[in-house]
Amino acid sequence: MPLLKTTVLFVAVAGLSGPALHTHAATPKPQMTRPGGDWRTDTVHMYENYVNSRKVTIIQFPSTLSESHGAAPAEKKQQTTFISEYNAAAADPRLRMAVVRKYSDLGNAGVMYMAGWCYLKGNCGEPANPVLGMEWLRKSAEAGSAAAMSDYGYALANGTGMAQDLKKGVALIQRAADMGGGPGAYVTLGGIYFNSDELGPDHFKLAREAFLRAGDEPTGLGLLGLIYDYGLGVPVDEAKAAGYLQRAAAAGNVKALAYYGGKLASGTPSTPVNLPLARRYLLAASQGNEPVGDYNYAALAEKGQHVEGGQPDGKLAFFHYKRAADNDYTPAMYEVANSYMGGLRGQTVDREKGVALAKLAASAYTPAQDLLTAHYMNTNQDALALASSNEALKRPTNISYLHRGQAEEFGMMGFAEDTPTAASWYQKAAADGSDQAHWRLGFAYIEGKFGLKNAAEGRRHLQIAADAGVHQAQSFLGQVLLAGIGGPRDKPQAVVLFRKAAAQGNKFAAKYLAENGLAL
C-alpha cells in the first residue's frame, strides 16, 4: 500500500496536557522539583523571602529594642532606659519620636539602629524617611552595631537608597558576621556572594561557606540544598540537597517545604515518594504564599494526586497555578497563559489574555517564549513568529528547536518550504528529548527529505515517537511495517499501532481499520 504523505503542521507546545512532576535531570518539560529550571529564579526568590521576613522581624518593638547588638555595659544600661521611656510614650506618636531623637543624639549604636528603622518604616509617629533612615543605619554601623553593619551593608551592596558599592557592602556584612552578628548575618552574606558574579569565580564557594556558618538557620539550609541540587560551585549531590532541604522544611521554611515537597511527590534516588507528606508540605507552602508550593501542588492536582484516590482536577490545578502566577512566578505564568490560549483546565479560550501573560513571562522563561512562537505560527504571523523564535533560540528548549525545524520544513517565518537546515533543527530537538522531532526525522528519512535517506534510521526515529504516543508517528510507522520498509514486514504490530493512533483520533488509522474489518 502507498505511504500517506502528510504535510499537516503540528506545532508542539509544552504543557498542553499538563506539566510532568519534576526530577533533577535536565528536561524540556516543566518539572516539579525545579519548575523554573533556572537557579537564579529559584534561589533568589528564596533569599528575598528571607530578607523580607527578616526585615519585618527586625523592627518589631519592643523585642528588638531589648537587643544590645554587642553594646558595652554602659550602652546596655542606656538602651534599657531608652526602652522604658519609649514604651511609656508608646501611646503618643509625637512622644515616641522625641524619645528616639533624644537617645539617638547621645551616640548609642543600638538606639541609632532603632532610629534608622523608625525612619525607614515610619512607625514611630512620623512619616517614613528612607534617606534619614539610611543615614542613622550608617551612623549606627560606624558606632559598632553589628545589626546595622549587616543591614546597611546589604543596602549598600544592592544599591538600595544609595549608590551601589558591592565590595564595601560585603565587607560590612562580613564584619557584622565576624562580630557575632549571628546566623542572620551569615545568611545575608551568603546571599550577596551567591547572587554576585562580580565577586569572582569563587562566589558560590564563599556563599556555601557562609551558609554553613549560619548553622541551622532554615534559609541557609534551604539555599545549601539548592546549591547541591544545581551543582553551583560543587558537584551535583542530590542526596546532600535533599538532606538540607529536608532540615529546612522541618524547620518550617516555606520555600524548602515547596521544594522538598516536590521531591517527595516525584521521588528521587534519595527521597522515596511519599504523597501524604508531599501534600502536607506543599499545602503548607501554599498557605505561606510560596508560589513554588502552589505550582507543585497544581501539578499534583493535574494528576489527581492531591488527595488519596483522587481524579485529575484541572480547575483546582488552575487555581493554584494562578496563585503562583499572581506572585510573579514565571513557570506558573506560562501555565496560566497556556490555559487561556488553549482553553485548558476549565478556562474559556482567551488568546489575548494568554498572549499578554506569556509576554510578561517570556524574557525569564523560555517555554513562555515558545508558547508565543507557537501562537504566531498558528495564526500565520510570520514576522512575529520569527522574532519570537529568535528570542527563544538564545536560551533554547527542545520546543524552540522544533519550532524552527517546522518553520523551515513547512515554509513559515519567511523560510522556503523544505529548507535543508530543517533537519539539523530537528536533530537538535530530538537529541534534547522532543518526541515530535523524532516523528519528523522518521518521516524525512523514509521519504528522503532534506537530503536524508535511510529507511532503517527512519524506522528507529518513528519507533521512538510512536512509543511516546505521537499518533502521527504510530500511524506512519504502521504503514512502514506493512510495507516492510527499513526492516521486515510486521502486520500484527502495524495493526496494534493503527489502533493506538485511531484511539487518539487519527483518521488514516481509523480508516485502515474500518476498511479491513478490524476493531479499534
Side-chain angles (χ1 to χ4, degrees), residues 49 54 94 164 240 293 390 505 515:
N49 275 1
R54 181 166 177 255
R94 294 168 298 178
Q164 184 180 28
K240 275 190 176 180
N390 286 339
E515 288 178 350

Side-chain angles (χ1 to χ4, degrees), residues 46-55 184-185 187-188 217 219:
M46 177 183 277
Y47 180 64
E48 290 304 321
N49 275 1
Y50 160 73
V51 170
N52 291 337
S53 65
R54 181 166 177 255
K55 295 308 182 192
V187 172
T188 301
E217 203 290 322
T219 297

Side-chain angles (χ1 to χ4, degrees), residues 25-109:
T27 167
K29 297 179 181 179
Q31 297 293 314
M32 170 159 278
T33 308
R34 292 172 51 197
D38 180 346
W39 63 266
R40 287 191 179 275
T41 298
D42 300 338
T43 52
V44 170
H45 196 282
M46 177 183 277
Y47 180 64
E48 290 304 321
N49 275 1
Y50 160 73
V51 170
N52 291 337
S53 65
R54 181 166 177 255
K55 295 308 182 192
V56 170
T57 303
I58 283 174
I59 54 130
Q60 293 303 306
F61 298 121
S63 61
T64 299
L65 297 183
S66 66
E67 297 176 10
S68 63
H69 307 295
E75 281 190 301
K76 290 181 181 179
K77 183 177 180 180
Q78 194 177 73
Q79 286 183 28
T80 301
T81 305
F82 164 67
I83 293 167
S84 177
E85 290 190 26
Y86 180 89
N87 291 339
D92 189 330
R94 294 168 298 178
L95 292 177
R96 283 205 307 267
M97 203 62 208
V99 173
V100 169
R101 285 200 187 95
K102 171 186 172 182
Y103 281 90
S104 298
D105 290 339
L106 292 176
N108 184 296

Side-chain angles (χ1 to χ4, degrees), residues 172-300:
L172 275 173
I173 301 168
Q174 180 72 65
R175 186 180 169 199
D178 293 342
M179 286 176 60
Y186 282 112
V187 172
T188 301
L189 180 64
I192 297 294
Y193 276 127
F194 194 102
N195 294 308
S196 302
D197 298 343
E198 308 95 308
L199 293 174
D202 290 334
H203 69 105
F204 286 131
K205 176 186 175 184
L206 294 168
R208 181 171 60 89
E209 290 173 354
F211 293 141
L212 286 170
R213 295 189 69 178
D216 289 332
E217 203 290 322
T219 297
L221 292 173
L223 286 166
L224 282 169
L226 294 181
I227 281 175
Y228 282 103
D229 214 16
Y230 284 94
L232 303 174
V234 294
V236 171
D237 190 328
E238 198 280 326
K240 275 190 176 180
Y244 281 120
L245 288 170
Q246 182 181 30
R247 288 168 62 191
N253 180 276
V254 290
K255 179 67 81 172
L257 287 167
Y259 277 91
Y260 191 64
K263 287 182 179 292
L264 290 167
S266 57
T268 71
S270 63
T271 308
V273 171
N274 185 334
L275 287 176
L277 188 56
R279 295 179 195 117
R280 181 157 65 86
Y281 276 10
L282 295 178
L283 277 175
S286 170
Q287 289 163 3
N289 207 32
E290 169 47 55
V292 176
D294 277 304
Y295 183 97
N296 284 345
Y297 192 77
L300 286 183

